[in-house]
Amino acid sequence: MTTDDDIIRKRLLIEGDGGGDDRRINKLLKTFTKWCNSDPSLPEFTETYQRMLITVAQSQFAVCKSEMVYDMNKKEIKKYEQIYKEIEDKIQQAHQQIQDCKEELAKAKRVRKNKEAYDALAKVIRKHPDRQETQRKLEELDKEVNSLKESKSALEMKLEIKRKQFLCLVRSIHDLQATMEEENQGELMETESHDVRGS
């Protein structure tokens, strides 16, 4: 069942900051017509004139306020669009960085697989210690394997850092969305409060 509060709330949402302006102007026109036909010598003549001036001032203030709110909303929308674009660009960059790190990690895994093959080959080579040349190549191979292991560790560390940065970026996006929702709710509540006081 629709309550009076629901009706008032819907009316405020529809009319915005200018709520009641039409009713105020119609009332002003009726008052003006009645005032024109009234006797200037009556005390009510001056009082009615002052009330009409106040009504006109209130209407002008409402128009100026609506224009200011409109301009502010345009600026806010432009700012949020710019922020959104920056966030989109950062997300795209983060996706690209993660893709690069995945490729580097896949390369490191291939290196590890090759190392295992090198280790198996090294065992076979070690069975023939009398071949000095083979032993020298084996030592060079061990150095290369160690270098590849270091490279793999560095790549894994880099991927972990990028993953943490991406999670931080996603968290910042959620925080920004929550802030925008709170601002919108605050502006709506402030508008409703002003309209209630104005009426």
Side-chain angles (χ1 to χ4, degrees):
M1 181 176 180
T2 304
T3 63
D4 292 340
D5 291 339
D6 293 334
I7 295 174
I8 294 173
R9 187 178 296 107
K10 289 181 180 178
R11 183 173 179 84
L12 290 173
L13 290 174
I14 293 173
E15 294 180 350
D17 289 339
D21 286 345
D22 293 339
R23 184 173 64 254
R24 188 183 297 117
I25 291 173
N26 290 332
K27 184 178 180 181
L28 176 62
L29 290 175
K30 292 179 180 178
T31 303
F32 178 74
T33 302
K34 183 178 180 182
W35 178 77
C36 289
N37 297 323
S38 63
D39 186 359
S41 62
L42 295 176
E44 293 83 1
F45 186 84
T46 303
E47 294 178 0
T48 303
Y49 176 74
Q50 294 297 328
R51 285 199 301 270
M52 288 191 297
L53 290 180
I54 293 174
T55 302
V56 170
Q58 290 176 343
S59 298
Q60 290 176 340
F61 175 77
V63 170
C64 292
K65 181 181 177 183
S66 297
E67 290 178 351
M68 292 176 64
V69 171
Y70 176 74
D71 292 338
M72 181 188 68
N73 288 339
K74 285 176 63 178
K75 292 178 181 179
E76 288 293 325
I77 290 173
K78 185 176 180 181
K79 182 182 73 173
Y80 289 141
E81 287 177 349
Q82 182 179 359
I83 293 174
Y84 179 80
K85 185 178 182 303
E86 291 176 356
I87 292 174
E88 284 290 330
D89 293 340
K90 289 181 180 179
I91 291 176
Q92 186 63 30
Q93 293 175 3
H95 279 306
Q96 185 61 44
Q97 291 174 352
I98 290 175
Q99 184 62 32
D100 294 341
C101 290
K102 286 182 178 180
E103 293 176 358
E104 292 177 357
L105 181 60
K107 180 180 179 181
K109 289 181 178 179
R110 290 195 300 269
V111 169
R112 179 179 180 181
K113 184 177 180 180
N114 291 338
K115 176 185 176 299
E116 293 174 353
Y118 293 154
D119 290 341
L121 179 61
K123 291 180 181 179
V124 176
I125 294 175
R126 289 193 183 96
K127 294 180 180 179
H128 306 280
D130 55 322
R131 298 184 179 181
Q132 297 180 358
E133 182 64 17
T134 302
Q135 185 65 29
R136 184 183 64 80
K137 290 183 179 180
L138 180 60
E139 292 174 356
E140 293 178 354
L141 184 61
D142 287 338
K143 291 179 180 180
E144 181 181 355
V145 168
N146 291 332
S147 176
L148 291 173
K149 288 174 64 178
E150 294 176 357
S151 176
K152 173 179 175 293
S153 298
L155 290 174
E156 291 178 344
M157 184 178 297
K158 182 178 179 181
L159 180 61
E160 180 63 19
I161 292 174
K162 295 298 181 182
R163 186 185 68 83
K164 291 180 179 179
Q165 290 176 346
F166 180 74
L167 291 176
C168 182
L169 177 61
V170 172
R171 191 178 300 112
S172 298
I173 293 172
H174 290 316
D175 292 342
L176 177 60
Q177 290 176 342
T179 300
M180 290 172 63
E181 292 177 357
E182 291 177 359
E183 289 179 356
N184 291 335
Q185 292 178 357
E187 290 178 0
L188 179 59
M189 291 178 64
E190 182 179 359
T191 301
E192 292 179 356
S193 176
H194 287 172
D195 291 337
V196 170
R197 289 199 298 269
S199 61

